[in-house]
Amino acid sequence: MTSMLDSLERWVHDVAAMTRPATIHWCDGSDTEYRTLVQQMLQSGDLIELNQQTHPGCYLHRSSPSDVARVEHLTFVCTKDEADAGPNNHWMAPADAHAKMDALFEGCMEGRTMYVIPYCMGPIDSPLSRCGVEITDSPYVVANMRTMTRMGAAALARIEREGHFVKGLHSTGELDPERRFIMHFPEELSIQSYGSGYGGNALLGKKCHALRIASHQARSEGWLAEHMLIVGIENPQGQTHYIAAAFPSACGKTNLAMLIPPEGYRKAGWRVWTVGDDICWMRPGADGRLYAINPEAGFFGVAPGTSDSSNPNALTTIARDTIFTNVAVTADNQPWWEGLPGTPVTDWQGRPYDSANGPAAHPNSRFTVSAKQCPTWSPKAEDAQGVPISAIVFGGRRPSLLPLVMEARDWTHGVLMGAAMGSETTAAATGAVGVLRRDSMAMKPFCGYHYGDYFSHWLSFDKPSAKLPKIFHVNWFRKGKDGKFLWPGFGENLRVLEWMIARVENKVSGAETPIGTLPAHGELKLEGLNLPRETLAELLEVDQAGWQAELHAIGEYLNSFAPRLPARLRQEQQRVAQA
Ligand code: GTP
Ligand code: SPV
Ligand code: MN
């Protein structure tokens, strides 16, 4: 019984011997602990108090200007065999990675507090949940992990019971981009991160554990760890369908998860329930359906663009008890970003706002907030069994070619649609923005193993006993000749989800095309929406020549995963190309 805690304590002891902190603090997740941390951070300048009248319990954190996003070029998957990491990952031999990291961690916590954070990803009592312990010298990380995970005593008790956990070691280091690495050791169930205090680089429960390590584990255990939102759509009859959707970073997951129905739908009795906005763990249940949990307990959402017109739910959610990172502030000390009314006076770096310096809020500025504060938070999000998934949706930012929505004819075709996903890059990772790149299942930065094996794993769910969800592909981002988005998006996306549900329930027949099934004439409900008929036609157009080129490009892309590319996926690409 005590042996697990012994091994945890031994690890903590070993880490302390290497990093040499002044003190060690075991986090219990209590309110008192949180309040104390906040006070310390206000004193040290890690947090800045925002207007407590308008935003009670809200604080601002300014990260180092060179540390504002995930760093994919410094993120490594360290498997024994290089081939197992795949061409989709940067790889380093475990021994080399350990040597590099040990040198960086040596004495790095001198004079500082080392925090030990036991956490659980997923409801504490769910068989789908998994635990980890993150050791960090960043109080900001502790405060964020408290919101984003089930952190503290209950997680520690589960770790003690289960006897295993993912080991995460993080230090902010010198914040020198030259001395920054995010290392994953899936075979050791461990993560080491040095030199960044930002989001996915530092909150190790999130992308590092819940996606990179978990996807690796999920493959051997027969489940899926995906970069997906989970949303429940309740129709006027009171029936709820749960939909899981994978869009790349900053491509609309949080927005879709918190969607507010257009007026007509609201009046008719449609409701939307938020289960998750970024990560989804799914496993087949006894009835053959896929059941999903959200391993997170909070939202680490993109601030810019969040407004009363785009996402009023998010705005309500973040009205109190929220940590803002890299947003601007107004004259009366309220958080501000592009898309909000009012004017910024101080930019995300703390400088007087000057439009010559670019946006006032960093394009990847974020809010961290408990999911419980979301007005549409689903009671089912705490359900240990998870929610049954009726449809899986893939999508990305595609200014042309990809229609508003299409449905895969079967699971294999759906896996191809996911594998073929492409999107324009965004500010969520460092590097150029607006460049088209393939991002299979929105997992390019997060799949902890070879994409070829990952595609095989996806295909393996197609068993006679399975009752798999239908698979769709959407594109909210198609542009017209004037460069403007053709589709209004946001709440109006419910119209597209309604069509998907009608397909799931076999209530509409759709129109078959070589690339998949599209809404037939009149099947998309557009009442109350001022969408010109030509715009709809453009949104649903299938450009044969364009698709030939696209399918050729998809074929080339798939080739890059040979020899591990499953033959079934190659055949499917050829089938569609010849359709
Ligand atoms: P990560 O947290 O990085 O994984 O991002 P996300 O996928 O949750 O993206 P999010 O919902 O935060 O949206 C990112 C950006 O896309 C914001 O600027 C939104 O305003 C914009 N966006 C979201 N949904 C839509 C849509 O339906 N149409 C258009 N045009 N823009 C959208
Ligand atoms: C993403 O980039 O997909 C995010 C933010 O959700 S981060 O936690 O930094 O990965
Ligand atoms: Mn994300």
Side-chain angles (χ1 to χ4, degrees), residues 291-338:
Y291 284 79
I293 61 161
N294 169 14
E296 301 191 282
F299 308 122
F300 183 62
V302 178
T306 306
S307 71
D308 234 343
S309 58
S310 67
N311 193 348
N313 261 331
L315 223 51
T316 306
T317 309
I318 61 183
R320 65 177 173 93
D321 298 309
T322 302
I323 295 178
F324 295 90
T325 300
N326 293 338
V327 300
V329 287
T330 60
D332 63 347
N333 204 25
Q334 295 191 47
W336 192 92
W337 50 81
E338 280 66 19

Side-chain angles (χ1 to χ4, degrees), residues 49-389:
E49 193 166 74
L50 290 165
N51 187 325
Q52 297 296 301
Q53 260 73 54
T54 57
H55 291 75
C58 291
Y59 304 96
L60 167 65
H61 172 76
R62 293 197 182 110
S63 73
S64 160
S66 65
D67 184 34
V68 293
R70 285 181 294 98
V71 281
E72 294 176 11
H73 59 296
L74 304 174
T75 300
F76 291 79
V77 168
C78 309
T79 43
K80 278 192 218 99
D81 183 351
E82 177 170 7
D84 290 339
N88 45 301
N89 280 303
H90 299 292
W91 175 84
M92 199 181 288
D96 295 346
H98 278 302
K100 196 183 253 313
M101 298 310 279
D102 286 355
L104 291 170
F105 281 121
E106 185 69 39
C108 73
M109 296 187 190
E110 253 163 36
R112 321 186 54 172
T113 301
M114 178 174 113
Y115 299 92
V116 182
I117 310 172
Y119 64 87
C120 179
M121 301 308 293
I124 282 281
D125 58 346
S126 171
L128 283 80
S129 300
R130 292 288 187 277
C131 290
V133 177
E134 173 168 0
I135 296 179
T136 180
D137 55 9
S138 161
Y140 168 81
V141 165
V142 178
N144 279 271
M145 284 289 283
R146 178 179 187 267
T147 303
M148 296 304 297
T149 73
R150 278 91 170 165
M151 156 183 145
L156 191 60
R158 181 167 168 155
I159 289 170
E160 184 175 3
R161 225 172 31 247
E162 281 186 331
H164 47 82
F165 62 96
V166 171
K167 293 186 175 81
L169 172 55
H170 166 258
S171 172
T172 311
E174 307 85 345
L175 295 174
D176 173 357
E178 300 294 312
R179 287 162 59 81
R180 179 176 296 160
F181 293 100
I182 326 294
M183 301 283 192
H184 303 74
F185 305 91
E187 290 142 350
E188 301 168 20
L189 295 184
S190 85
I191 306 155
Q192 300 204 336
S193 165
Y194 187 91
S196 167
Y198 191 85
N201 302 329
L203 312 177
L204 302 186
K206 196 172 174 54
K207 297 300 167 53
C208 301
H209 178 165
L211 288 179
R212 298 195 190 93
I213 299 288
S215 62
H216 193 275
Q217 261 181 316
R219 180 193 173 205
S220 57
E221 297 173 4
W223 50 284
L224 290 164
E226 298 299 326
H227 191 202
M228 291 179 177
L229 68 96
I230 309 166
V231 66
I233 308 293
E234 182 180 334
N235 68 16
Q237 291 74 49
Q239 292 145 339
T240 305
H241 281 284
Y242 294 92
I243 296 177
F247 308 150
S249 301
C251 290
K253 288 183 299 301
T254 301
N255 277 271
L256 193 66
M258 297 182 187
L259 178 152
I260 294 206
E263 174 131 13
Y265 281 77
R266 227 158 36 224
K267 288 202 176 129
W270 289 81
R271 299 196 65 174
V272 173
W273 298 101
T274 308
V275 180
D277 84 323
D278 198 49
I279 303 181
C280 163
W281 288 356
M282 287 184 282
R283 159 187 287 189
D287 61 359
R289 299 186 73 184
L290 286 182
Y291 284 79
I293 61 161
N294 169 14
E296 301 191 282
F299 308 122
F300 183 62
V302 178
T306 306
S307 71
D308 234 343
S309 58
S310 67
N311 193 348
N313 261 331
L315 223 51
T316 306
T317 309
I318 61 183
R320 65 177 173 93
D321 298 309
T322 302
I323 295 178
F324 295 90
T325 300
N326 293 338
V327 300
V329 287
T330 60
D332 63 347
N333 204 25
Q334 295 191 47
W336 192 92
W337 50 81
E338 280 66 19
L340 281 184
T343 20
V345 297
T346 308
D347 76 3
W348 64 278
Q349 298 190 52
R351 302 173 299 191
Y353 173 61
D354 177 352
S355 61
N357 289 330
H362 188 276
N364 194 36
S365 55
R366 301 247 168 189
F367 51 77
T368 316
V369 66
S370 168
K372 292 202 184 96
Q373 289 181 203
C374 179
T376 54
W377 185 237
S378 165
K380 284 283 194 184
E382 304 289 339
D383 193 319
Q385 300 311 313
V387 295
I389 297 298

Side-chain angles (χ1 to χ4, degrees), residues 399-467:
S400 60
L401 192 67
L402 274 284
L404 178 63
V405 59
M406 58 181 177
E407 177 194 329
R409 66 172 203 170
D410 56 18
W411 186 258
T412 305
H413 185 206
V415 173
L416 177 70
M417 276 183 183
M421 262 174 69
S423 194
E424 288 185 337
T425 51
T426 66
T430 53
V433 167
V435 182
L436 183 78
R437 80 161 179 181
R438 297 281 159 198
D439 187 352
S440 301
M441 281 82 169
M443 285 286 279
K444 166 73 186 67
F446 309 119
C447 181
Y449 61 103
H450 196 299
Y451 251 163
D453 295 332
Y454 173 77
F455 301 149
S456 297
H457 183 52
W458 263 85
L459 291 171
S460 75
F461 286 83
D462 195 2
K463 298 194 179 97
S465 60
K467 291 200 183 62

